[in-house]
Short mmCIF file of all heavy atoms in Angstrom, two decimals:
data_model
loop_
_atom_site.label_atom_id
_atom_site.label_comp_id
_atom_site.label_asym_id
_atom_site.label_seq_id
_atom_site.Cartn_x
_atom_site.Cartn_y
_atom_site.Cartn_z
N ALA F 7 111.22 66.36 42.05
CA ALA F 7 110.13 66.43 41.08
C ALA F 7 108.82 66.23 41.83
O ALA F 7 108.79 65.71 42.95
CB ALA F 7 110.30 65.37 40.00
N GLN F 8 107.74 66.67 41.22
CA GLN F 8 106.41 66.52 41.81
C GLN F 8 105.77 65.24 41.28
O GLN F 8 105.76 64.98 40.08
CB GLN F 8 105.53 67.73 41.47
CG GLN F 8 105.97 69.02 42.13
CD GLN F 8 105.77 69.02 43.63
OE1 GLN F 8 104.84 68.38 44.14
NE2 GLN F 8 106.62 69.73 44.34
N LEU F 16 114.49 62.70 43.30
CA LEU F 16 114.77 61.72 42.25
C LEU F 16 116.14 61.07 42.41
O LEU F 16 116.30 59.89 42.12
CB LEU F 16 114.66 62.39 40.88
CG LEU F 16 113.26 62.81 40.43
CD1 LEU F 16 113.32 63.47 39.07
CD2 LEU F 16 112.32 61.62 40.41
N THR F 25 120.60 50.43 44.40
CA THR F 25 120.98 49.58 45.54
C THR F 25 120.21 48.27 45.52
O THR F 25 120.78 47.19 45.72
CB THR F 25 120.74 50.32 46.86
OG1 THR F 25 121.52 51.52 46.90
CG2 THR F 25 121.10 49.45 48.06
N PHE F 34 121.55 36.71 43.68
CA PHE F 34 121.43 35.67 42.65
C PHE F 34 122.76 34.94 42.49
O PHE F 34 122.80 33.71 42.40
CB PHE F 34 121.01 36.29 41.32
CG PHE F 34 120.98 35.32 40.18
CD1 PHE F 34 119.95 34.41 40.06
CD2 PHE F 34 122.01 35.31 39.24
CE1 PHE F 34 119.93 33.50 39.00
CE2 PHE F 34 122.01 34.40 38.19
CZ PHE F 34 120.96 33.49 38.07
N GLY F 56 123.91 33.35 59.71
CA GLY F 56 124.14 32.68 60.98
C GLY F 56 124.33 33.65 62.13
O GLY F 56 123.82 33.44 63.24
N VAL F 62 119.07 37.06 66.90
CA VAL F 62 117.60 37.13 66.97
C VAL F 62 117.06 36.02 67.86
O VAL F 62 116.17 36.26 68.69
CB VAL F 62 117.00 37.05 65.55
CG1 VAL F 62 115.49 36.94 65.61
CG2 VAL F 62 117.39 38.28 64.73
N GLU F 68 114.00 30.87 69.36
CA GLU F 68 114.17 30.39 67.98
C GLU F 68 112.88 30.48 67.18
O GLU F 68 112.88 30.93 66.03
CB GLU F 68 114.67 28.95 68.00
CG GLU F 68 115.01 28.41 66.62
CD GLU F 68 115.65 27.03 66.68
OE1 GLU F 68 115.93 26.56 67.81
OE2 GLU F 68 115.85 26.43 65.61
N LYS F 72 112.46 33.32 64.02
CA LYS F 72 112.34 32.97 62.61
C LYS F 72 111.34 33.87 61.87
O LYS F 72 111.46 34.07 60.67
CB LYS F 72 111.93 31.51 62.46
CG LYS F 72 113.06 30.53 62.76
CD LYS F 72 112.61 29.09 62.56
CE LYS F 72 113.75 28.12 62.83
NZ LYS F 72 113.32 26.70 62.66
N ASN F 89 124.92 52.21 52.00
CA ASN F 89 126.04 52.98 52.55
C ASN F 89 127.29 52.86 51.68
O ASN F 89 127.99 53.85 51.42
CB ASN F 89 126.36 52.51 53.97
CG ASN F 89 125.27 52.86 54.96
OD1 ASN F 89 124.37 53.64 54.66
ND2 ASN F 89 125.34 52.28 56.15
N ILE F 99 129.00 61.68 37.55
CA ILE F 99 127.84 61.90 36.69
C ILE F 99 127.13 63.15 37.20
O ILE F 99 126.50 63.13 38.26
CB ILE F 99 126.89 60.69 36.71
CG1 ILE F 99 127.64 59.41 36.30
CG2 ILE F 99 125.69 60.93 35.80
CD1 ILE F 99 126.82 58.15 36.45
N THR F 116 116.06 57.38 55.44
CA THR F 116 116.27 56.75 56.75
C THR F 116 115.00 56.82 57.61
O THR F 116 114.72 55.90 58.36
CB THR F 116 117.45 57.42 57.48
OG1 THR F 116 117.18 58.81 57.67
CG2 THR F 116 118.73 57.27 56.68
N TYR F 130 103.32 43.78 65.91
CA TYR F 130 103.59 42.49 66.55
C TYR F 130 103.51 42.59 68.07
O TYR F 130 103.20 41.60 68.75
CB TYR F 130 104.95 41.95 66.10
CG TYR F 130 104.87 41.22 64.79
CD1 TYR F 130 105.20 41.85 63.60
CD2 TYR F 130 104.42 39.91 64.74
CE1 TYR F 130 105.12 41.18 62.38
CE2 TYR F 130 104.33 39.23 63.52
CZ TYR F 130 104.67 39.88 62.36
OH TYR F 130 104.57 39.21 61.15
N LYS F 138 97.82 45.44 76.67
CA LYS F 138 98.91 45.59 77.65
C LYS F 138 100.20 46.10 76.99
O LYS F 138 101.12 46.49 77.71
CB LYS F 138 99.17 44.27 78.36
CG LYS F 138 98.09 43.88 79.36
CD LYS F 138 98.48 42.64 80.12
CE LYS F 138 97.43 42.29 81.17
NZ LYS F 138 97.80 41.06 81.92
N ARG F 162 112.05 56.59 69.24
CA ARG F 162 112.82 55.52 68.63
C ARG F 162 113.01 55.68 67.13
O ARG F 162 114.15 55.63 66.64
CB ARG F 162 112.18 54.17 68.95
CG ARG F 162 112.43 53.69 70.37
CD ARG F 162 111.63 52.45 70.67
NE ARG F 162 111.86 51.97 72.03
CZ ARG F 162 111.18 50.98 72.59
NH1 ARG F 162 110.22 50.37 71.90
NH2 ARG F 162 111.45 50.60 73.83
N ILE F 179 130.46 64.19 53.28
CA ILE F 179 130.94 65.57 53.24
C ILE F 179 132.45 65.61 53.50
O ILE F 179 133.20 66.34 52.84
CB ILE F 179 130.20 66.44 54.26
CG1 ILE F 179 128.74 66.65 53.82
CG2 ILE F 179 130.88 67.80 54.43
CD1 ILE F 179 127.88 67.37 54.84
N ALA F 185 138.63 65.36 48.95
CA ALA F 185 138.81 65.10 47.52
C ALA F 185 139.01 66.40 46.76
O ALA F 185 139.74 66.46 45.77
CB ALA F 185 137.61 64.34 46.97
N CYS F 188 142.78 67.40 47.56
CA CYS F 188 143.78 66.56 46.89
C CYS F 188 143.06 65.30 46.43
O CYS F 188 142.82 64.39 47.23
CB CYS F 188 144.93 66.22 47.83
SG CYS F 188 146.20 65.18 47.08
N LEU F 209 124.90 47.80 61.09
CA LEU F 209 124.79 46.88 62.23
C LEU F 209 124.03 47.52 63.37
O LEU F 209 123.14 46.89 63.98
CB LEU F 209 126.20 46.48 62.68
CG LEU F 209 126.32 45.28 63.62
CD1 LEU F 209 125.73 44.03 62.96
CD2 LEU F 209 127.78 45.04 63.98
N LEU F 213 120.59 46.05 64.84
CA LEU F 213 120.57 45.54 66.22
C LEU F 213 119.57 46.30 67.08
O LEU F 213 118.88 45.70 67.93
CB LEU F 213 121.97 45.61 66.83
CG LEU F 213 123.01 44.66 66.22
CD1 LEU F 213 124.35 44.83 66.91
CD2 LEU F 213 122.55 43.21 66.31
N LEU F 221 111.60 43.57 72.54
CA LEU F 221 110.87 44.17 73.66
C LEU F 221 109.37 44.15 73.43
O LEU F 221 108.58 44.02 74.37
CB LEU F 221 111.33 45.62 73.87
CG LEU F 221 112.75 45.81 74.42
CD1 LEU F 221 113.14 47.29 74.40
CD2 LEU F 221 112.84 45.27 75.85
N GLU F 226 106.11 39.29 79.31
CA GLU F 226 106.67 39.60 80.63
C GLU F 226 106.40 38.44 81.57
O GLU F 226 105.31 37.91 81.62
CB GLU F 226 106.04 40.89 81.18
CG GLU F 226 106.36 42.11 80.33
CD GLU F 226 105.69 43.35 80.90
OE1 GLU F 226 105.06 43.24 81.96
OE2 GLU F 226 105.83 44.41 80.28
#
Side-chain angles (χ1 to χ4, degrees):
Q8 292 291 329
L16 291 180
T25 300
F34 175 76
V62 173
E68 186 173 354
K72 286 181 178 179
N89 291 348
I99 303 173
T116 59
Y130 276 98
K138 287 185 177 180
R162 284 173 179 173
I179 290 174
C188 180
L209 195 59
L213 291 180
L221 290 173
E226 296 179 3

